[in-house]
Amino acid sequence: MTGGGGSAARARTARGERLSRVSIDSGKCQGHGRCVLIAPAYFDMDDAGFGVVLRDEVDAADKADVDEAVLSCPEHAVILE
């Protein structure tokens, strides 16, 4: 499940700001949960214990946390574009 930023995201795009997007490769995720601990506003665990993205558009203020989640995933399943 992913969510969008709605009108705020469109406003940032209209101003020429590049939005970062985060995703989880479900084929690689093993359910360690580090992403959830580091950036709980962006990640959660599904009923089977695997990571899911709550919000895919990363706010500039949160980018450092999401970057840390990417680097902390031992399976390299968290992707920031």
Side-chain angles (χ1 to χ4, degrees), residues 53-75:
V53 174
L54 298 175
R55 295 174 45 196
D56 63 347
E57 293 180 346
V58 180
D59 293 330
D62 299 328
K63 190 167 182 309
D65 288 341
V66 175
D67 282 339
E68 185 178 345
V70 170
L71 295 172
S72 296
C73 179
E75 307 303 330

Side-chain angles (χ1 to χ4, degrees), residues 28-80:
K28 291 182 178 180
C29 180
Q30 295 296 306
H32 296 285
R34 293 179 185 178
C35 57
V36 178
L37 294 173
I38 294 167
Y42 289 86
F43 306 101
D44 201 355
M45 303 298 277
D46 66 13
D47 291 339
F50 296 101
V52 293
V53 174
L54 298 175
R55 295 174 45 196
D56 63 347
E57 293 180 346
V58 180
D59 293 330
D62 299 328
K63 190 167 182 309
D65 288 341
V66 175
D67 282 339
E68 185 178 345
V70 170
L71 295 172
S72 296
C73 179
E75 307 303 330
H76 306 286
V78 182
I79 303 160
L80 184 64

